[in-house]
Amino acid sequence: MTQRPARSMDVPVDLAICSDPENLAFVRRAVERMARQEGFDAGDVDGIVLATDEAIANVMKHGYEGRKDCTIHVRLERIAGREGRRGLQMTVRDHGKQVDPAMIKGRDLNDVRPGGLGVHIIRSVMDEVEYTCPSDGGMQLRMVKYLPDRGEASS
């Protein structure tokens, strides 16, 4: 097995944005670029971008209750996980309200109305999703999407 050559994006990308929805476009572009460079197909790129966007929008709405002057930290990094499969890990960290991770659930899908599907989207798109309550307050969400095995169709 040969080792892939180092690329400029092999180091994590750390972003700190204010909780103003106008900053979502900046994060979407960064996530899209990194996912494309890693080799995800267009459908997976769109899904990864959407899941990250939903996660940050949830922080803005729920964690910071609409305040636009709070900081959200986003870390994007390449990882090697399950059986050496490559992927991307996105970590979203805030200092807003803490919520018991077991209570973070999407609303009932039979409740048809606009909005409120972010958690469902995140869980359906990403391969790993983990919410934690850091000891210094706020919430952290770790999401991972793996590249499909060569013989496997993209999900």
Side-chain angles (χ1 to χ4, degrees), residues 114-154:
L117 297 176
V119 173
H120 287 294
I121 291 168
I122 292 166
R123 291 191 189 279
S124 67
V125 168
M126 306 305 287
D127 295 318
E128 296 177 13
V129 176
E130 176 187 37
Y131 292 92
T132 56
C133 293
S135 61
D136 61 342
M139 296 296 295
Q140 179 170 294
L141 169 59
R142 185 184 68 84
M143 305 177 289
V144 176
K145 181 70 174 177
Y146 292 105
L147 283 161
D149 285 335
R150 290 196 171 148
E152 175 182 309
S154 178

Side-chain angles (χ1 to χ4, degrees), residues 3-150:
Q3 199 172 22
R4 71 185 168 135
R7 296 178 286 187
S8 61
M9 301 261 316
D10 278 342
V11 296
V13 173
D14 290 308
L15 307 169
I17 63 166
C18 286
S19 54
D20 187 322
E22 289 184 13
N23 293 318
L24 285 168
F26 175 74
V27 177
R28 283 193 298 262
R29 284 192 302 273
V31 171
E32 178 182 10
R33 180 173 183 211
M34 194 162 183
R36 285 188 193 287
Q37 287 182 342
E38 187 60 14
F40 286 96
D41 69 23
D44 280 339
V45 169
D46 290 346
I48 293 166
V49 169
L50 179 60
T52 305
D53 187 78
E54 290 288 342
I56 296 169
N58 282 345
V59 168
M60 291 176 179
K61 181 176 181 179
H62 302 292
Y64 290 139
E65 298 176 320
R67 293 188 317 267
K68 295 182 179 183
D69 61 345
C70 302
T71 303
I72 301 170
H73 296 275
V74 180
R75 174 172 267 216
L76 313 172
E77 56 192 317
R78 289 186 165 93
I79 63 166
R82 301 184 214 153
E83 302 166 5
R85 288 177 69 188
R86 292 186 350 241
L88 287 180
Q89 177 172 276
M90 283 68 57
T91 305
V92 177
R93 173 76 164 92
D94 68 69
H95 291 279
K97 294 189 316 186
Q98 279 195 334
V99 178
D100 177 358
M103 301 305 294
I104 300 174
K105 295 178 172 59
R107 72 162 194 261
D108 185 344
L109 291 177
N110 291 323
D111 180 7
V112 180
R113 59 186 158 99
L117 297 176
V119 173
H120 287 294
I121 291 168
I122 292 166
R123 291 191 189 279
S124 67
V125 168
M126 306 305 287
D127 295 318
E128 296 177 13
V129 176
E130 176 187 37
Y131 292 92
T132 56
C133 293
S135 61
D136 61 342
M139 296 296 295
Q140 179 170 294
L141 169 59
R142 185 184 68 84
M143 305 177 289
V144 176
K145 181 70 174 177
Y146 292 105
L147 283 161
D149 285 335
R150 290 196 171 148

